[in-house]
Amino acid sequence: MLKKKPRPTPARRSAEPKKRPSADAAAFQAERIPVVGIGASAGGLEAFRELLAALPNDTGLAYVLVSHLSKTHASMLSELLSKVAGMPVAEVKSAMPLRANHIYVIPPNATLVVEDGNLTPRPIQAISRPVMVIDAFFRSLAQHRGSQAIGVVLSGTGTDGTLGLAAIKAEGGIVFAQDQRTAKYPDMPRSASAQFGSADFVLPPAQIAAELARIAGHPYVRQAELEEEPEPATPESQFAAIFSRVRAVTGVDFSQYKPTTIRRRISRRMVLNKIETVQGYLKRLETDPAEVEALYQDLLINVTSFFRDAEAFEFLKKHVIPDLTRRPSRAAPIRLWVPGCATGEEAYSLAILLLESMPPAGGPPVQIFATDISRLAIQAARDGLYAENIAADVSPERLRRFFVKTDGSYQISKQIRDLCIFAVQDVVKDPPFSKMDLISCRNVMIYLGASLQKKMLATFHYALKPGGYLLLGTSETAGTGSELFRPVDKKHKVYASVPSTNPPRFDLALTEAADTRTLARRQAMQPRPAADMTKEADKIVLSKYSLPGVLINSSFDIIQFRGRTGPFLEPPPGQATLNLLKMAREGLAIELRASVHQAKKAGGPVSKRGLHLRRESGFMDVDLEVVPIFENAAKEPYFLVLFRTAEDTPQPRKQRPEKDREGSRVDREIAVLRSELAATQEDLHTIIEEQEATNEELQSANEEILSSNEELQSTNEELETAKEELQATNEELITVNEELQNRNAELAKANSDLTNLIDVVDIVYVMLDRELRIKRFTTAARRVLNLIPTDVGRPMGDIKPNLQVTDLPGMIRHVIDDTQHIEQTVQDLAGRWYVMKIRPSMTPDNKIDGAILALTDVDALRQSQENRKILELRLRSLVEQPPDVLLAVAPEGQVLLLNSSSLDAAGRQLTQSIFDYLAPQDHAAMHECLKKVLDTGAPAEVAVQGFSLQKHASPVTIAIDPIASAEGVTALGVRLKTASQGAPAAR
């Protein structure tokens, strides 16, 4: 945390001795200004206006507006926004220095980047893939501004800006998204707030402006601009309490991560929650589990992308992947491990490289294990669903081959997903995988402390095969583990595993929750002691003993040699060792073991005197003293083992006693005792050797069991992952089953409706398969074709239909074989007429699977046609009687027929109506006469002034009588009656 100091006046600045060169002053000031990147697309002008109208003019921030503009037309965005903004607005046409309280607008057909405190436009090259201008600027802003970067996504379509916001958040910046309910087009804000909750604030534009004004003066945002003056140091106990709280909720210990990174993340959460002190934030964590989860997600920094650092992936494709794919197809599988995989982009990128490098005939099987500590990230990686703006990182060819386009996003193809196994794993404390060909751990170790980095490198060395490859991030190195890896390419941080005769040990439980005794014992086995141990040992030896000795740990491993220990210790034959018991000369090992255990149990010095040490020249008397050294009460002690010979202990010379009479007997007893003692010592030495051999075998077995346990745990994780994938598949199958059930219900309903419709129409339908077996038929078919419900499945040849048809099965077979339609009129045994149609039945893929027989009842139409023929014959026989002028007309006056006399009189011209032969004044009388005949059914007469079919125009009487009726059509006979003729005969 930083205090804000008063800014010096210009005069005071000019008097300061440490003044930067004037040429760099503007750039230096520009580099210290926090920058707000604001991205929008469709509907962005309205959102821009609302945001800028609510912004104060003195926030001290620089604002850069990035929008999707036309590539071919000039932009008027800066002019439109200058009318509502209270700050200067300028379009970035060339490199411009960033200034506080200024607004900068992207130009058309260009992207913006931040370089040395300047905004620089870059023309968009003609490429096939879309250019995400908002993502491009946000990523550049995150890279150059870090925690001083602020990202805002407003209204727009698509997903541009989502990946850029994630990059800003990963660098410690603060990100905003417009509330979807206030956005004209909510796609961009929705994507920005849904991607792992990237947006810290989801607010309307006016409230975003208010929040920007609040955080603008906070030291977290402005620390690079203000003079740094640290506040009183925060007690380490408060940070330890925060770590403890996070560990209690999530199970992850962040206490050994880099302190600066962790504290920056805690400060960021304090800014977002409007909390000023660490103590206050600790109280918030104790009462708000949701904030603990939010801090946990912030600390994980799940940010990655496809083919991140393209040059490194290109190096892998050219130099590493071919080495892996050259093995025979039936050889062991290619095994890759991606720890810290985040949302899976890196694992999928490696899978794509492997498939692209496989020979056409196929290569060895591939297994990619991708792990991360975040369950949310692992779930997203398994889904393999990514925003459409990944098109900026993935080539169109790879998108077509390895991705499936869905609604507004891309999903990795099943071919790639099947190669990757995702699992939740804490690489710091969980067992690693083994026999790996390649490990890609990029931008993970930069967040860890030195001890954890060293531990991870040892873990990776164990997991890799000899000669296996390790890929690190651009800011990482294997320097602390140089004895384990050799550089393959320093520029792209590619290393190869080096075989080691003494492989490093790694601790699978290096957390505060680990057993303190086990932790101390493992730490004590390190080849170099702590500085305070050496100083303590020096102090004891110099002040009291000044004798030869060794400093050992509780496992009897020698930490340091002190003085000349050659008379007491010697290297054993075989594999080199620094174990005290193996290096002790004959006669010391048993007493050394017993003395160390006694000193450890008693907690104080233990002395052994008068030990007989066998040498080539005979025996030597040795005194032994073991002194425990405690670093603190919670850890295993070290032991200082000191040796003293008779020469080191001055004693008064004693006179040898004279031999008495029993001398010879005593000598004999001494000889016997020495012989028994030598035998006992030899037996004991044999037992010790057997015990040591057994211990070595047990240790080897223990190591094998540990490796087997790690393999089993890895297999268990794979099985658990497979189980989760099977559960997901089962859920998908349940969903598909429900959809199919709904579809079946809909089909059943549609089938019922169709059957009811056909039954109502009363048409005979019979469906047959290629073998002429009846598949289904309508109700009307039962009567006409003599069918019953049990006839379904029977051949049509077994049915005797009630039709007068010869070889009906043969006709149907002809239709199926020749794909021709048959249509003809037939009669049933009762004499009713039908139109029979036979046509092939086609499947959706245009294949013939049978035939359809349809019969339409046309008996009524047939009878009507017969009646019309009879009527026509009758009329013709009537009107063909000369020499009368005779017409047959319809009730409306339409002329139906004329006899030959009438045709001669009309000049063989047939008119449409009888009224055409009358004078206009006679039309009313003719209408009245026609109506009378139709109403009464009796003949009637009408007198008219003239009739044009007469040879001589004169008044005439026209007689009209009904002569025929059929199907509702009445024909009327019209005769001329002159004075010489009598009344027309009744008909």
Side-chain angles (χ1 to χ4, degrees), residues 762-775:
D762 196 23
I763 298 177
V764 177
Y765 276 108
V766 180
M767 300 185 67
L768 304 104
D769 60 15
R770 294 186 62 89
E771 305 300 326
L772 303 189
R773 288 189 294 265
I774 298 174
K775 295 195 294 186

Side-chain angles (χ1 to χ4, degrees), residues 16 22 116 118 185 412 443 546 622 626 716 894 936 944 974:
E16 291 177 355
S22 58
D116 300 327
N118 292 334
Y185 295 90
I412 200 78
N443 303 317
S546 297
V622 177
V626 179
N716 184 48
Q894 182 181 2
T936 63
V944 297
V974 179

